[in-house]
Amino acid sequence: TFVVGENCINCKHTDCVEVCPVDCFYEGPNFLVIHPDECIDCALCEPECPVNAIFSEDELPDDQQDFLEINAELAEKWPNITEMKDSPDDADEWDGVANKREKLVK
Ligand code: SF4
């Protein structure tokens, strides 16, 4: 599966959802997740992310392994998103900020 990692938090560009052939992205207040049982590993979304927040499970950094569980858990809870929408006004300011996981709104 592919996994949305920490750098999506508060950036939430939605370029990824537009290309997903199986519509397996789900949207929370300030983060997106991929449903691990629905993702078909096509890899189309990975290069679309402007902040490089999407990883294949195999390449997920060691310090973001908890995002596997976070994606699985929140994909069951949040609504599906299939169309691109405007990014938050301050998205660029949050790109690359450390310890954003504290800001994740579930
Ligand atoms: Fe969707 Fe493909 Fe990305 Fe999986 S890898 S979330 S199927 S675009």
Side-chain angles (χ1 to χ4, degrees), residues 55 57-68 101:
F55 300 90
E57 183 176 4
D58 299 342
E59 294 172 352
L60 188 66
D62 287 346
D63 63 356
Q64 294 190 52
Q65 288 295 315
D66 52 329
F67 279 85
L68 272 171
R101 71 185 66 215

Side-chain angles (χ1 to χ4, degrees), residues 2 16 19-22 24-25 34 38-46:
F2 277 65
C16 53
V19 300
C20 180
V22 294
C24 66
F25 280 90
I34 292 169
E38 297 174 358
C39 173
I40 58 170
D41 288 326
C42 73
L44 287 174
C45 57
E46 187 179 3

Side-chain angles (χ1 to χ4, degrees), residues 7-80:
N7 206 32
C8 177
I9 297 169
N10 281 356
C11 288
K12 205 172 82 166
H13 298 286
T14 50
D15 307 64
C16 53
V17 309
E18 194 82 13
V19 300
C20 180
V22 294
D23 294 341
C24 66
F25 280 90
Y26 294 80
E27 181 189 21
N30 67 345
F31 187 57
L32 300 173
V33 292
I34 292 169
H35 197 307
D37 297 335
E38 297 174 358
C39 173
I40 58 170
D41 288 326
C42 73
L44 287 174
C45 57
E46 187 179 3
E48 294 299 321
C49 179
V51 297
N52 299 312
I54 302 178
F55 300 90
S56 75
E57 183 176 4
D58 299 342
E59 294 172 352
L60 188 66
D62 287 346
D63 63 356
Q64 294 190 52
Q65 288 295 315
D66 52 329
F67 279 85
L68 272 171
E69 181 60 32
I70 289 169
N71 276 245
E73 177 196 331
L74 297 175
E76 292 287 347
K77 178 178 166 186
W78 285 347
N80 195 222

